[in-house]
Amino acid sequence: MDVDSADSSPPPPVAHLPHLDVGQDPPPLDDVRSSRPRPSPPLLQAARPHRPRSLSNITDEALSQKMKYSKDVSSSRRKSRKAHFTAPSHVRRVIMSAPLAKELREKHNVKAVPIRKDDEVKIVRGNFKGQEGKVMQVYRKKYVIHIERITRDKVNGTSVPVGIHPSNVVVTKLHLDNDRKALLERKAKA
């Protein structure tokens, strides 16, 4: 047997595969998805052709219902959150206001004031609801206040103050100095 004659023989014939013919689509896959009937597309509104709405078609009444009152203020959630979390300290002071108790509200004719150290507060919401104490620290960076005797024990035994948001407390006793009195008088007039 000659080695050269074995190499020169033609290759064995390949079985004919109909799905490989040029110009034909392959047959559908034999899987569960192809055997299910396809849902028909939802019915479209054939009565009304799509027309882009121009501002001339919209009445003033419709505009007033959909648009904001002030164009200078954004309704965007993203912008509101950015403004809140990057607010400077003097803005955070106003955001961290707490409502006054009923007796103080009637006495000073003021509903809420920015909270400050040495105010006495009562917690009205959350795990510490019903507890009272003096404000030890107003932590503007974290938007919380620390109240005396409101602490949590750590694993190593040390106790740390628990931050409470000012909206979850009511002020029961105000720490009054000249600036605070002037603020209350100014707010009562407004």
Side-chain angles (χ1 to χ4, degrees):
M1 217 167 140
D2 201 14
V3 176
D4 292 333
S5 64
D7 288 338
S8 62
S9 63
V14 179
H16 180 68
L17 300 174
H19 64 277
L20 294 180
D21 287 346
V22 179
Q24 285 187 348
D25 291 334
L29 295 174
D30 293 335
D31 92 1
V32 178
R33 284 178 289 169
S34 64
S35 63
R36 290 187 190 146
R38 294 184 116 188
S40 59
L43 294 175
L44 301 175
Q45 293 180 349
R48 262 184 6 193
H50 174 68
R51 273 192 331 238
R53 295 179 71 183
S54 64
L55 287 177
S56 60
N57 295 343
I58 301 175
T59 62
D60 290 335
E61 184 181 333
L63 280 175
S64 65
Q65 289 175 354
K66 292 190 176 190
M67 295 180 76
K68 310 190 293 278
Y69 292 110
S70 172
K71 292 182 180 179
D72 300 328
V73 180
S74 174
S75 299
S76 167
R77 181 173 188 266
R78 182 205 322 201
K79 291 179 184 176
S80 298
R81 285 176 58 82
K82 183 177 182 183
H84 183 268
F85 292 111
T86 61
S89 183
H90 71 282
V91 175
R92 288 180 184 231
R93 173 182 167 271
V94 178
I95 293 172
M96 294 179 69
S97 294
L100 298 180
K102 283 187 180 178
E103 304 82 38
L104 290 174
R105 192 182 303 179
E106 291 165 3
K107 179 181 175 184
H108 297 290
N109 196 24
V110 173
K111 192 173 181 181
V113 293
I115 203 152
R116 63 159 290 175
K117 185 178 175 180
D118 295 331
D119 283 347
E120 290 184 20
V121 297
K122 179 181 181 181
I123 302 174
V124 292
R125 286 181 211 88
N127 293 337
F128 299 97
K129 180 177 178 178
Q131 296 192 35
E132 297 185 38
K134 188 182 281 192
V135 177
M136 298 188 310
Q137 181 186 18
V138 179
Y139 203 156
R140 290 187 191 172
K141 186 176 182 182
K142 291 188 175 180
Y143 283 109
V144 295
I145 59 174
H146 293 153
I147 304 168
E148 63 181 5
R149 297 188 306 274
I150 306 296
T151 58
R152 174 176 289 136
D153 292 333
K154 289 171 61 170
V155 177
N156 63 8
T158 59
S159 66
V160 291
V162 175
I164 307 288
H165 194 272
S167 65
N168 295 332
V169 303
V170 293
V171 178
T172 55
K173 186 177 177 186
L174 289 166
H175 176 76
L176 291 174
D177 55 9
N178 291 337
D179 291 333
R180 205 83 182 280
K181 287 175 186 173
L183 177 129
L184 288 170
E185 288 171 16
R186 192 169 67 243
K187 287 188 73 139
K189 287 178 187 175

